[in-house]
């Protein structure tokens, strides 16, 4: 009885081993064939004639627009419009000029870079006009528009000569910032000048201040 049991167990194990071997063989052979509905070849040519590994040309409208925009260049026929705004009162003027030679043949990115560089080093004429900054607002091959900011607010300058504890002192235009002490005593000045110093005697420039001091220095 025990012998028959061992023989039966042997045949069962043998049968299981055979079945496992058959299953492994079938699985191995199936892996060599493409799955149903799958891609047969990895390097199949794309519909536009290029292989899948190659870079595709821009397909979306936005990508095409960006490429076209980068290819747009200014020419000698491009109109240059300056829109000038004064920070002092918000007034605006518009000028239409021939495009400067250094701005010809540039795309948008190159023109913006050059305008930024010019903002950092404006000409003397522009400085005298109160130039502050500029940036590109409109760009095309036919026309560009540059917004320029100015500030024509006149800076307050001048000095006040005043009395402090019996001494003649010079203050800046705000009447509170001490510029320097003169060392002159108020009692050494004429009566009319002493009266002026009580309210503060205004001088337009340093030269006028020094002339005043020299006039009453011993």
């Amino acid at each position: 009885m025990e012998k028959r049991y061992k023989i039966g167990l042997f045949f069962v194990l043998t049968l299981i081993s055979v079945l496992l071997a058959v299953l492994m063989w079938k699985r191995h052979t199936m892996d060599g064939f493409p799955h149903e509905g799958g891609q047969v070849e990895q390097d199949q040519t794309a519909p536009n004639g290029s292989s899948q590994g190659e870079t595709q040309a821009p397909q979306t409208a936005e990508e095409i627009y960006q490429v076209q925009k980068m290819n747009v260049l200014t020419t000698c026929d491009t109109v240059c419009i300056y829109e000038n705004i004064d920070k002092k009162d918000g007034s605006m003027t518009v000028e239409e000029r021939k495009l400067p030679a250094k701005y010809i043949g540039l795309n948008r990115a190159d023109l913006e870079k050059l305008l930024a560089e010019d903002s950092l080093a404006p000409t003397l004429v522009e400085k005298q006009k109160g130039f502050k900054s500029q940036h590109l607002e409109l760009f095309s091959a036919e026309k560009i528009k540059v917004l320029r900011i100015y500030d024509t607010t006149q800076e307050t300058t001048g000095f006040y000569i005043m009395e402090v504890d019996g001494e003649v002192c010079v203050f800046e235009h705000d009447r509170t910032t001490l510029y320097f002490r003169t060392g002159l005593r108020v009692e050494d000045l004429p009566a009319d000048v002493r009266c002026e110093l009580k309210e503060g005697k205004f001088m337009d420039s340093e030269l006028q201040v020094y002339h005043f001091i020299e006039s009453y220095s011993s």
Side-chain angles (χ1 to χ4, degrees), residues 80-85 92-97 145:
C80 181
I81 298 175
Y82 290 110
E83 188 174 287
N84 307 316
I85 298 179
M92 183 182 69
T93 59
V94 178
E95 305 174 45
E96 184 174 314
R97 299 182 183 177
K145 183 168 75 171

Side-chain angles (χ1 to χ4, degrees), residues 42-76:
Q42 295 297 325
D43 59 345
Q44 185 175 14
T45 304
N48 61 1
S50 61
S51 64
Q52 293 181 349
E54 295 177 356
T55 303
Q56 299 291 326
Q59 297 298 319
T60 67
E62 177 63 22
E63 289 175 329
I64 294 174
Y65 170 74
Q66 293 295 335
V67 171
Q68 291 176 342
K69 185 173 70 172
M70 292 300 296
N71 292 333
V72 174
L73 302 178
T74 56
T75 69
C76 57

Side-chain angles (χ1 to χ4, degrees), residues 30-215:
M30 289 298 293
D31 288 343
F33 295 93
H35 298 289
E36 184 177 358
Q39 188 175 358
V40 177
E41 297 181 3
Q42 295 297 325
D43 59 345
Q44 185 175 14
T45 304
N48 61 1
S50 61
S51 64
Q52 293 181 349
E54 295 177 356
T55 303
Q56 299 291 326
Q59 297 298 319
T60 67
E62 177 63 22
E63 289 175 329
I64 294 174
Y65 170 74
Q66 293 295 335
V67 171
Q68 291 176 342
K69 185 173 70 172
M70 292 300 296
N71 292 333
V72 174
L73 302 178
T74 56
T75 69
C76 57
D77 296 324
T78 302
V79 176
C80 181
I81 298 175
Y82 290 110
E83 188 174 287
N84 307 316
I85 298 179
D86 190 344
K87 292 175 63 176
K88 177 183 177 181
D89 53 11
S91 60
M92 183 182 69
T93 59
V94 178
E95 305 174 45
E96 184 174 314
R97 299 182 183 177
K98 182 178 179 181
L99 187 68
K102 63 180 179 179
Y103 295 159
I104 296 176
L106 303 180
N107 60 26
R108 185 185 187 106
D110 290 337
L111 181 56
E112 287 178 334
K113 180 179 178 181
L114 189 54
L115 287 171
E117 291 175 353
D118 289 347
S119 293
L120 298 176
T123 64
L124 179 59
V125 174
E126 290 299 313
K127 284 184 178 181
Q128 292 173 341
K129 290 180 179 180
F131 175 84
K132 296 299 180 182
S133 64
Q134 65 182 1
H135 69 269
L136 186 65
E137 276 207 328
L138 175 67
F139 178 87
S140 70
E142 295 76 26
K143 177 175 63 177
I144 70 167
K145 183 168 75 171
V146 179
L147 177 64
R148 298 192 298 190
I149 306 298
Y150 292 85
D151 189 355
T152 59
T153 303
Q154 296 293 327
E155 295 184 1
T156 305
T157 59
F159 302 91
Y160 280 92
I161 302 177
M162 304 171 66
E163 174 192 354
V164 178
D165 298 329
E167 183 182 1
V168 178
C169 296
V170 180
F171 288 83
E172 294 185 9
H173 61 84
D174 58 6
R175 300 172 67 98
T176 58
T177 304
L178 180 64
Y179 192 62
F180 70 92
R181 295 177 177 272
T182 66
L184 294 175
R185 303 304 301 177
V186 175
E187 61 264 22
D188 297 331
L189 302 178
D192 58 335
V193 176
R194 290 200 300 269
C195 291
E196 289 181 315
L197 295 187
K198 289 181 180 180
E199 298 297 328
K201 184 176 179 63
F202 180 75
M203 298 287 181
D204 289 319
S205 64
E206 286 184 342
L207 184 59
Q208 288 183 334
V209 172
Y210 290 130
H211 283 168
F212 174 85
I213 296 172
E214 289 177 357
S215 299

